[in-house]
Amino acid sequence: MTTQKIKLLFCLFLATGLNLQSYAQSGRTPVRAENGMVASSHYLASEVGSEIIEKGGNAIDASVATAFALAVALPSAGNIGGGGFIVYHGNDGYQTTFNFREKAPMAATEDMFLGENRKVKNNSNHEGLLSVGVPGTVAGLYKAHQKMGDLPWEDLVAPAIKLAEEGFPWTYRLNWFQNWVKNRENEDLYKATAKAFLKNGTDLYKQGEIIKQPDLAETLKRIQKHGADGFYKGKTAELIASYMKEHGGLITEEDLAAYEPEELEPVKGKYRGYDIVAMPPPSTGGVALIEMLNIIEGFDMQEMGHNSAKSLHVLTEAMRRGFADRALHLGDPNFNPEMPVEKLISKDYAADLRETIEENKASQSDSANFSAAHLKYESPQTTQISVVDKEGNAVSMTYTLEHSFGSKITVEGAGFLLNNEMGDFNPIPGYTDTEGFIGTAPNLVAPQKRMISSMTPAIVAKEGRPLLVIGSPGGRTIINTVFQVVVNVLDYKMNIGQAIEAPRIHHQWLPDVTSFERFGISPDTKRLYEAMGHKVKWNDSQGRAMGIYLDHEEGVLYGTADSRSYDSRAVGNN
Ligand code: DON
């Protein structure tokens, strides 16, 4: 090769690299673009969303297409077998939300997980077919599209079908799952998972090898052709119901046909003059977020300094109070008509709570007030899609299978994983302890009821236009992750990259301990914080936030996909 050719190739390489850098990356330097932005947990899905915007799709179109693409490329959390929430805020001020949280099947009962001595039998609320809720994702995406989509439905499902048929490169992120599956390939319940996620049904993929999902592609084609009916009726519904019947699950064709997503009014608050638009119950995230912001509004966070011991103390005390109320009051509103949501998000109530916060002294989480919260481990395997389209309309969508890869059960012949969301109900009625169970009424199992969720898709707006689109996975930590990103942007004036990358903390009332991201908070700060009476434990990583900031003065969008997320990417349209 001549020197000239080598130079030319080098320049081309550099140009491609620079170009990529300018519209797609993760980390503290946000992606900058003028005509749209998609941030999600998988680069291929973000690219799909961005292409939909390029074709004239709006934020709903792009989020739907991204969600279907994630259902192929991010099997840990992307899904058609789970459920979630969409929060929408148009550039014209119009706001709405879609609730497509899973439901308990009609045959579900309060005691369905209990065995001898009223103990949970075989971890059945988290494992096996009883842990599966009636999926909501396809119905939710379809409803949002029916109401607000611009592009044809078929075009939004098509990129996911292509990904499933042509495959995508296996990444390191998926390795533990295939090892898990490999160990169970002969167990009847997981045979279809082995077929779908092991090479030739038996071998391990190496990083970079292409995985194709032909059964999933066929399911997606039925959804493409028939809309929600392609999932809730006909062949897909038959496959789900017969798999359930054969293996002892509860979900029937009737359950599937009866599933209805809901359009709901957002829960709304104000923080230092900015509007907070978030998901109402059965999400607990919106209410807790607004309550916590209201509490800290009475403190000068800027003056205290970001992640100083003082500011961490105030954040912790707000979290403690927000999470206590969450545990005490919130459930599916269709089954709990008396929930005091208006009170919980009111400024007066926050002022009362603020009075109970002492300077430099930790409160105790008083389990005598209310015996205990659900303390169980929750993995960070939900996923967030943040989208802004050319017109400045915004979508924040969080959807989940609950655990990483959900129940890890694949529907034979349909190629997708089922959720294990029933674990988000309170499993033992009346039994609450500090070891991990809460048995209070608002969130007990009932037929067709929705389990509560911590998912907190949220949009901050100013003067009727979206300003910040944000959300994250992380189980209960989600609420605190979103809380801190909002505070980082509004109080500390961080750009979206800094706000997402900054070290985070988590306190959930009970257990009475704060987790700090390891290496994120200095030992000196930790010492000062502990001296106030707080207990601290380390945590490797908290959440995987995806955010977009709309700079209306410059007419520019800034997007960041959390570097805590292995395959994530923000992709902009210029
Ligand atoms: O809806 C919820 O709050 C949980 N199912 C979310 C789960 C999550 O983020 C991480 N998963 N275990």
Side-chain angles (χ1 to χ4, degrees):
M1 199 184 284
T2 64
T3 321
Q4 211 179 357
K5 269 191 185 161
I6 291 174
K7 272 190 190 158
L8 189 67
L9 274 176
F10 181 67
C11 288
L12 269 175
F13 169 73
L14 210 63
T16 321
L18 285 176
N19 182 39
L20 264 180
Q21 283 295 308
S22 74
Y23 75 87
Q25 65 189 109
S26 298
R28 290 172 64 87
T29 307
V31 178
R32 186 184 189 283
E34 292 180 10
N35 288 306
M37 182 78 67
V38 181
S40 87
S41 297
H42 201 285
Y43 60 96
L44 290 170
S46 298
E47 280 166 13
V48 162
S50 168
E51 279 159 23
I52 291 295
I53 292 176
E54 200 60 44
K55 288 184 182 148
N58 64 26
I60 288 285
D61 294 323
S63 66
V64 167
T66 306
F68 277 119
L70 284 173
V72 180
L74 193 85
S76 56
N79 70 81
I80 53 175
F85 306 123
I86 287 175
V87 174
Y88 175 87
H89 195 310
N91 189 38
D92 58 0
Y94 180 71
Q95 306 157 5
T96 193
T97 76
F98 295 93
N99 168 21
F100 50 99
R101 183 71 164 163
E102 297 92 328
K103 282 184 169 186
M106 293 177 194
T109 62
E110 264 187 17
D111 293 347
M112 64 184 277
F113 301 118
L114 304 186
E116 269 176 39
N117 302 327
R118 293 184 64 75
K119 292 223 158 53
V120 172
K121 196 173 163 188
N122 302 334
N123 202 23
S124 57
N125 57 336
H126 296 296
E127 270 178 51
L129 284 177
L130 291 188
S131 73
V132 183
V134 181
T137 297
V138 176
L141 300 183
Y142 191 65
K143 187 173 176 89
H145 176 262
Q146 289 280 96
K147 163 124 194 213
M148 304 177 78
D150 279 346
L151 293 188
W153 172 255
E154 298 73 32
D155 295 6
L156 309 182
V157 193
I161 295 173
K162 187 162 183 264
L163 266 177
E165 282 186 327
E166 294 178 6
F168 71 94
W170 189 267
T171 67
Y172 163 79
R173 179 77 188 81
L174 298 166
N175 275 357
W176 78 262
F177 178 56
Q178 61 173 355
N179 288 318
W180 188 98
V181 178
K182 183 74 193 150
N183 284 330
R184 287 165 184 81
E185 63 187 321
N186 296 322
E187 285 180 34
D188 209 29
L189 198 55
Y190 302 108
K191 274 197 176 142
T193 306
K195 180 176 169 232
F197 295 102
L198 296 181
K199 194 165 43 170
N200 307 317
T202 52
D203 300 335
L204 302 183
Y205 285 98
K206 291 200 186 71
Q207 171 126 337
E209 281 186 315
I210 299 297
I211 168 169
K212 298 180 182 177
Q213 298 173 77
D215 285 348
L216 177 57
E218 292 308 311
T219 300
L220 288 167
K221 282 181 194 166
R222 291 191 288 276
I223 294 168
Q224 182 187 43
K225 190 162 175 202
H226 303 292
D229 284 352
F231 186 90
Y232 294 90
K233 292 182 180 160
K235 181 162 180 192
T236 316
E238 281 164 30
L239 287 170
I240 298 172
S242 62
Y243 195 75
M244 288 280 162
K245 195 163 180 194
E246 198 178 324
H247 295 86
L250 300 184
I251 298 174
T252 60
E253 284 186 56
E254 199 190 350
D255 279 310
L256 291 159
Y259 184 88
E260 285 287 348
E262 297 177 313
E263 187 174 2
L264 300 173
E265 271 290 302
V267 61
K268 297 178 198 178
K270 264 210 184 291
Y271 181 62
R272 303 197 200 281
Y274 295 90
D275 295 303
I276 311 294
V277 181
M279 196 68 211
S283 164
T284 58
V287 173
L289 173 68
I290 292 169
E291 181 176 333
M292 298 189 307
L293 287 170
N294 284 342
I295 294 172
I296 68 162
E297 198 172 35
F299 296 93
D300 190 341
M301 301 305 293
Q302 241 178 19
E303 201 267 331
M304 291 178 192
H306 177 254
N307 282 0
S308 65
K310 270 192 170 181
S311 70
L312 294 178
H313 168 63
V314 167
L315 291 178
T316 306
E317 294 307 325
M319 291 170 184
R320 188 194 309 279
R321 286 156 181 77
F323 273 77
D325 280 335
R326 167 194 188 274
L328 187 53
H329 297 294
L330 300 180
D332 181 345
N334 294 325
F335 289 73
N336 297 283
E338 306 294 325
M339 286 188 301
V341 169
E342 286 311 312
K343 174 186 160 191
L344 297 180
I345 62 172
S346 75
K347 296 283 182 197
D348 286 348
Y349 180 61
D352 290 347
L353 291 178
R354 203 158 45 236
E355 288 295 304
T356 65
I357 299 177
E358 291 183 63
E359 203 180 333
N360 299 333
K361 182 159 182 257
S363 323
Q364 301 298 309
S365 291
D366 186 354
S367 53
N369 281 348
F370 173 65
S371 26
H374 184 232
L375 316 176
K376 279 255 156 86
Y377 164 80
E378 290 180 38
S379 75
Q381 286 318 319
T382 294
T383 194
Q384 169 65 24
I385 302 166
S386 294
V387 178
V388 175
D389 65 21
K390 279 185 192 140
E391 313 299 328
N393 304 307
V395 166
S396 178
M397 178 192 315
T398 319
Y399 74 161
T400 186
L401 288 168
E402 163 58 352
H403 284 171
S404 197
F405 301 92
S407 64
K408 303 177 186 68
I409 299 166
T410 300
V411 178
E412 177 88 58
F416 64 87
L417 286 158
L418 290 164
N419 68 81
N420 61 339
E421 217 72 58
M422 293 291 284
D424 278 354
F425 278 116
N426 300 345
I428 310 182
Y431 178 76
T432 302
D433 70 14
T434 48
E435 295 307 310
F437 291 100
I438 176 167
T440 48
N443 192 39
L444 294 178
V445 183
Q448 295 205 292
K449 186 174 176 179
R450 291 184 161 98
M451 56 299 282
I452 56 166
S453 169
S454 299
M455 292 187 285
T456 314
I459 296 175
V460 177
K462 183 82 179 161
E463 286 153 16
R465 288 194 292 176
L467 188 80
L468 171 65
V469 188
I470 189 68
S472 173
R476 207 155 295 186
T477 67
I478 293 172
I479 306 174
N480 288 332
T481 293
V482 171
F483 178 42
Q484 286 163 92
V485 174
V486 169
V487 171
N488 289 346
V489 171
L490 299 187
D491 283 301
Y492 299 114
K493 310 296 173 205
M494 292 186 192
N495 73 39
I496 185 67
Q498 295 163 331
I500 284 179
E501 295 298 313
R504 302 195 262 260
I505 68 163
H506 173 70
H507 191 289
Q508 59 178 42
W509 181 51
L510 287 169
D512 194 350
V513 58
T514 310
S515 59
F516 283 4
E517 281 190 305
R518 203 182 299 281
F519 307 122
I521 310 281
S522 83
D524 302 339
T525 304
K526 178 170 173 279
R527 192 168 36 76
L528 291 169
Y529 178 81
E530 284 170 330
M532 297 179 202
H534 295 287
K535 286 187 272 316
V536 172
K537 66 173 187 184
W538 295 112
N539 174 11
D540 282 334
S541 150
Q542 180 181 320
R544 288 161 192 175
M546 305 291 146
I548 302 172
Y549 182 84
L550 297 88
D551 184 331
H552 293 292
E553 270 170 37
E554 270 194 81
V556 172
L557 304 169
Y558 291 99
T560 288
D562 203 325
S563 69
R564 296 167 182 86
S565 171
Y566 194 75
D567 291 318
S568 69
R569 190 72 53 84
V571 177
N573 293 65
N574 279 309

